[in-house]
Every structure is written in structure tokens, then in C-alpha cells.
Amino acid sequence: MTISNNPIKVLRIYGSEDLSAIMRELKVDPYGIRIMLPKGIHYIIRINSLPGVAANILKQELLSIGGECALPKKALTARDKKTDCLLIANLAQYNCLIEKLKKQPFSLKKLSEDISRVLEDHSRKKYSLKLGKYRIDTGKITRIMGIVNATPDSFSGDGLYRNPILRWESQRLDYLLEYAMKQIRDGADILDIGGESSRPQAKPVSLKEELSRTIPLIKLLTKRIKAPISIDTYKPEVAQAALDNGAVLVNDITGLRDPKMARVIARYNASCVIMHMKGTPRTMQKSPAYRSLIDEIMGFLNHSIEQAEQAGVTPDKIIIDPGIGFGKTTEHNLEILKRLSEFKSLGKPILIGTSRKAFIGKTLGLPVEKRITGTVASCVLAAANGADIVRVHDIKETAQALKLTQAILN
């Protein structure tokens, strides 16, 4: 028997579409594809704080259909204690497990519903974001949020109030307007207007000052551009003024910690970005530590999502942001980017903001003005790992890189 000279190879499958395409290329019968496809898609699911007795039932049920359930050794006998577990199975086995758990006690029926929801959320690749009168689809393309810092002290060096040639308020406003409009021309899908720096050790500004920096610009932009405008603030009063004058999205670095913010967003039927930050801008980088980085961030985001929805924020108007650089070390930021796809389990569009940040400078040994290449690389990886929106200063370079990235992935 003669074996083909073509090498045997291990395939990397990025999703069900890839596997289906390969089987169609092999001329596999369509009915056979439908049967085999779920068997070729594997997921590893971690469940925390499951009662010991439920974990043991879960393990037996999964083993009976060919899957695996990893448990701590002590969990096999500690029936009354909580335990974490790891499920290892393909989609066909999960579908079977879900049906089995529906018949079990110890809240396993509820667990079956949670597993089904998480699998659906994790495999979802497209969101249709309604931002005011604009609709922005993600999935086949990662969208870009342009940063417009109407501040004198931005960490990135683009605090547009700092320019010494701009002596009068009218000059500053004209300069900001042109800067923002250029971002749209370069490929930004959303503009994020901020009037208070959130860099480490940044001092808060007064409500009056923040309003004076942002609202006149938002008023002008709503008349000049055809794109959604976001207000970057944690103050409900600023958010309300911005929404009154044409903004449609509130980007809150505190994750809606102030209950008034969620109520303002709900009242205007606006969209919001819920971000995770450990501490405050003045304290967040003082030796940040986590017991379990991704679990703690996801726990915070999940709680904030629930609070927002209870306040009346429409579920499909919520975007999440794990908060790169906000109470994280360089290693934390790198881990978030590596494991970004895990946040898809929350069922919300993911925004990521890496632009020119310190972790890029520390990793590459570069000052802030030379971090464009690192920023673009991080955005490309974020897009490949499930980011729906990237928030950046350097629009043109990022847009070109993302266009190529999406062409490859799609």
C-alpha cells in the first residue's frame, strides 16, 4: 500500500465554521457533518463553589458519557463542603450531560441551565449594538473606539488642553473638534470624550471643570459627525449632561459603583461600558494583588451587570471591560489579554483598552510616545481572543492591522 507523500498534520480549529468547512472539503455527507460537528468542538468549563455531593454526581454523569470531571482529591469524601471542578468534554457530551442533570437533585437542574447558557454565550461571535440612532455590528470586524482626551494631564501625552499654542477656549474647542473628526476619518466607529484623567495618581477635577471640558465639544460633534459619542466619566451629573446633548454611551471606569449612574443610563435608555478597576486612580497601582485574577474580575463584572439590569439598564446595551491597567500589574495585564476569551461567558460585548499603556512600555522598554507598535499588537491579539471593541489613540494604524486580522480569521 502506498501512503501519500503529503504530511500528516494536526489541525487547529478556531470554531465550528472551520471544522464544518474542512469536512465539506472532504465531501463528507451533510447528515454526517451534523452528527460529527458537535463531537469535534471541545470546551473546558470551570465551576466554582459547587456542593461536594453535587460535584460527585456531576463527575459520575460526565464519566458515563465519556467526558472528564477533575475534582480535588478531598472532594470525593467531603460531601458537605464546597469544591471547584473542571469539566472536559465535547459539545455532544455537554448536550447529553445537560439532559441528565435536569433529572438530578441538589440544584443540578439549575446548573444544567447555567452550563447551556455559558456554552451559548461563549460560542457567540456577533453582537448588534444599538447606540442611540446608530447600530454597530461586531463579529466579522472588531470595532474601534477613538480616545479624545479633553484634559491637560493624560498619561498618553495627548491631553489636548496642554497645547501651549491654544491660548483661548475657542481655539481649544476648534482643535479638539478637528482632532475628533480626524479620528472618524481614520476609521473610528465610536468617539469616547473624557474630561478627567484616570492615569495612576491622577487628581480628581471638579464637576464644573469636567462639564466645561466635555459638553461644548459633544454639542459640536453631534452636529458634525455621523457616529455614536461616548462620555468617559464616573459622575452621574456629567453623564446626564452628556446624554442630554447627544451622547449615547456612558463609559464608567468605576463599573457603575455609584447607583445613581445606572439610574441615569436607564432613564435615557442609553448604553454603557462597565469596567473593572481595583481601588481608585490615586490608589489602584499600589501593589495590586488578586487571589484569582480572572475569577475576581468576572465576579465584579457579573455583579455590576446584575445591578445595572435591576436598575433598568437594557441588557443588550451593556458592554464589559476587564480594565487593563486599572489596578493591575504588567503580568496581570498580559494574563487578561491571553485569557480574554473567558470573559465571553458573561454574554456581553467585550471592550479592551490597551492603548499606549504602561505594561506595553515595561514589556518593550519604551516611552509612551513609542508604544504604537505594541498597542497594535495587543489589539490584534485581543481581536483574535474575542474583543468586540478596542479603545485606542492611534486609529489609522490600528484599523489597518484589524482589517488584516479579520481577513485572516474570517
Side-chain angles (χ1 to χ4, degrees):
M1 183 176 75
T2 302
I3 300 177
S4 169
N5 288 328
N6 290 329
I8 298 172
K9 54 184 178 291
V10 176
L11 302 179
R12 182 173 182 183
I13 304 298
Y14 289 90
S16 58
E17 295 89 348
D18 283 356
L19 182 54
S20 180
I22 291 169
M23 288 195 282
R24 289 198 304 272
E25 180 187 347
L26 292 174
K27 305 295 191 293
V28 177
D29 181 78
Y31 177 76
I33 293 177
R34 289 198 300 272
I35 296 298
M36 289 183 280
L37 196 59
K39 298 178 181 179
I41 307 299
H42 287 75
Y43 296 101
I44 299 176
I45 297 177
R46 177 167 178 162
I47 303 172
N48 293 334
S49 300
L50 192 64
V53 62
N56 278 282
I57 294 173
L58 181 61
K59 182 178 180 70
Q60 293 306 313
E61 292 287 20
L62 196 49
L63 287 173
S64 72
I65 54 177
E68 291 288 350
C69 178
L71 291 173
K73 186 175 180 180
K74 63 180 181 180
L76 299 175
T77 56
R79 294 173 60 87
D80 296 327
K81 295 183 178 180
K82 301 280 187 176
T83 185
D84 298 345
C85 62
L86 208 63
L87 312 185
I88 306 170
N90 61 40
L91 188 56
Q93 290 164 336
Y94 279 120
N95 289 336
C96 184
L97 175 68
I98 287 166
E99 293 304 314
K100 284 175 167 286
L101 294 182
K102 288 179 180 178
K103 304 172 185 177
Q104 293 287 354
F106 306 109
S107 300
L108 287 170
K109 180 179 179 180
K110 173 64 166 56
L111 180 63
S112 73
E113 297 169 354
D114 291 340
I115 293 174
S116 179
R117 174 187 54 76
V118 165
L119 287 171
E120 182 178 352
D121 288 340
H122 187 82
S123 60
R124 185 175 179 180
K125 294 186 176 181
K126 182 178 179 180
Y127 290 92
S128 184
L129 303 175
K130 193 171 187 310
L131 304 175
K133 63 182 179 181
Y134 302 98
R135 186 174 295 278
I136 293 180
D137 293 328
T138 69
K140 289 193 174 182
I141 184 167
T142 298
R143 298 296 183 168
I144 297 175
M145 174 183 275
I147 301 171
V148 181
N149 284 324
T151 63
D153 55 347
S154 170
F155 85 92
S156 58
D158 70 327
L160 302 178
Y161 268 45
R162 184 188 299 177
N163 195 322
I165 68 171
L166 305 177
R167 297 182 178 181
W168 310 106
E169 195 68 28
S170 60
Q171 290 180 314
R172 288 174 176 161
L173 196 55
D174 287 343
Y175 186 81
L176 283 164
L177 181 62
E178 176 53 35
Y179 181 89
M181 292 175 67
K182 183 178 184 301
Q183 289 202 330
I184 295 295
R185 293 195 297 270
D186 287 346
D189 300 286
I190 306 166
L191 288 183
D192 193 34
I193 314 300
E196 178 176 342
S197 176
S198 57
R199 63 181 174 81
Q201 287 85 50
K203 296 180 179 179
V205 301
S206 69
L207 173 62
K208 181 179 179 181
E209 177 67 17
E210 188 175 351
L211 287 169
S212 70
R213 293 177 180 182
T214 57
I215 303 307
L217 178 60
I218 290 173
K219 286 181 178 180
L220 284 176
L221 284 172
T222 55
K223 298 174 182 177
R224 300 286 189 90
I225 67 169
K226 294 182 179 180
I229 295 173
S230 166
I231 178 67
D232 178 3
T233 187
Y234 59 86
K235 297 185 179 79
E237 298 85 355
V238 175
Q240 180 170 334
L243 294 171
D244 272 332
N245 286 282
V248 295
L249 175 64
V250 177
N251 183 11
D252 183 355
I253 63 170
T254 68
L256 310 186
R257 289 181 193 171
D258 187 336
K260 294 179 183 177
M261 182 66 91
R263 293 197 290 270
V264 168
I265 294 166
R267 187 161 65 250
Y268 283 82
N269 195 28
S271 300
C272 65
V273 178
I274 296 175
M275 196 195 79
H276 172 271
M277 174 173 61
K278 194 177 184 75
T280 67
R282 299 198 74 176
T283 64
M284 63 187 182
Q285 291 306 110
K286 294 181 179 179
S287 303
Y290 298 83
R291 180 185 58 82
S292 178
L293 176 68
I294 304 301
D295 284 347
E296 289 184 42
I297 296 173
M298 288 186 68
F300 172 88
L301 293 174
N302 190 54
H303 176 73
S304 295
I305 290 168
E306 291 176 353
Q307 295 292 102
E309 292 180 357
Q310 288 172 9
V313 179
T314 307
D316 63 1
K317 290 181 177 290
I318 297 174
I319 301 164
I320 58 171
D321 179 354
I324 292 286
F326 286 82
K328 284 94 176 174
T329 64
T330 294
E331 290 73 22
H332 291 150
N333 294 320
L334 297 175
E335 183 177 352
I336 289 169
L337 286 170
K338 181 179 179 180
R339 299 174 60 185
L340 189 63
S341 63
E342 294 180 31
F343 291 92
K344 294 170 66 177
S345 298
L346 291 174
K348 303 295 182 185
I350 300 170
L351 182 148
I352 200 79
T354 61
S355 190
R356 302 183 185 178
K357 288 191 174 175
F359 83 99
I360 296 174
K362 290 178 181 177
T363 301
L364 301 179
L366 293 173
V368 67
E369 67 273 11
K370 294 184 178 181
R371 296 175 189 170
I372 296 178
T373 303
T375 294
V376 170
S378 65
C379 288
V380 166
L381 180 63
N385 283 347
D388 298 281
I389 305 169
V390 293
R391 182 179 182 272
V392 295
H393 302 84
D394 306 293
I395 308 298
K396 185 178 289 187
E397 296 86 348
T398 305
Q400 290 176 354
L402 288 177
K403 185 175 182 180
L404 181 60
T405 301
Q406 300 300 330
I408 295 168
L409 293 177
N410 294 321

